Amino acid sequence: KNQVEQSPQSLIILEGKNCTLQCNYTVSPFSNLRWYKQDTGRGPVSLTIMTFSENTKSNGRYTATLDADTKQSSLHITASQLSDSASYICVCNEGNNRLAFGKGNQVVVIP
Amino acid sequence: GAGVSQSPRYKVAKRGQDVALRCDPISGHVSLFWYQQALGQGPEFLTYFQNEAQLDKSGLPSDRFFAERPEGSVSTLKIQRTQQEDSAVYLCASSLGRVLTYEQYFGPGTRLTVT
């Protein structure tokens, strides 16, 4: 059973628009949550890491939020660019040397 | 090197063949992880090394899968008697520290296709 669920599975947005990706997790105990960006044919690259005590963290046009009470996180992309087309993966640290990965949100930015 | 490198980038194997996938982690990184990523899925944990010690191999799907890191640097993932269900991208990641609070840096992956 996947402990990290992401939605929407895929979305298409116009260049310059904003979008928000959702992540729900059931991992327990919970140490930290990460968002990765994976371009086609490449390995994932970290965008943000948040511990359970952090509510929000930004990295340029990417802003992640975390609600540890509801076990939800979101990744907001502002003023999307064509290079934002990628899979965005939500990852939870189970605290036992394992990371639980979601299936990813596939984002396509069109001009 | 500048990052984690993996070779080969692509591998096509006939069913029943043995394959060996190589990972060169970032120099000085203590921890090394192998993941399997099926098409359209997130990575799935296979195994974890701390230096040369394989501390967790519980994610390896069968005894056909074997990983080693004999000198605590380069690692090899070997798959014996490949099956079609082994077709996937195999990702390697390394991190500086011994615990998962450290950032993991991923290689580009090896895409294995078993025909």
Side-chain angles (χ1 to χ4, degrees), chain B residues 5-53:
Chain B
S5 61
Q6 292 185 244
S7 62
R9 290 294 316 276
Y10 304 91
K11 177 68 177 179
V12 179
K14 290 186 176 180
R15 191 173 63 176
Q17 282 185 331
D18 298 348
V19 298
L21 313 180
R22 177 188 171 105
C23 172
D24 285 81
I26 294 173
S27 178
H29 276 199
V30 170
S31 298
L32 185 145
F33 303 81
W34 282 100
Y35 297 92
Q36 181 189 60
Q37 186 174 26
L39 188 64
Q41 305 292 315
E44 296 275 351
F45 170 83
L46 291 178
T47 187
Y48 160 62
F49 289 86
Q50 191 178 105
N51 295 309
E52 70 279 2

Side-chain angles (χ1 to χ4, degrees), chain A residues 83-98:
Chain A
S83 59
D84 292 332
S85 295
S87 178
Y88 293 85
I89 305 175
C90 177
V91 186
C92 291
N93 180 351
E94 300 182 57
N96 58 352
N97 286 325
R98 286 207 181 192

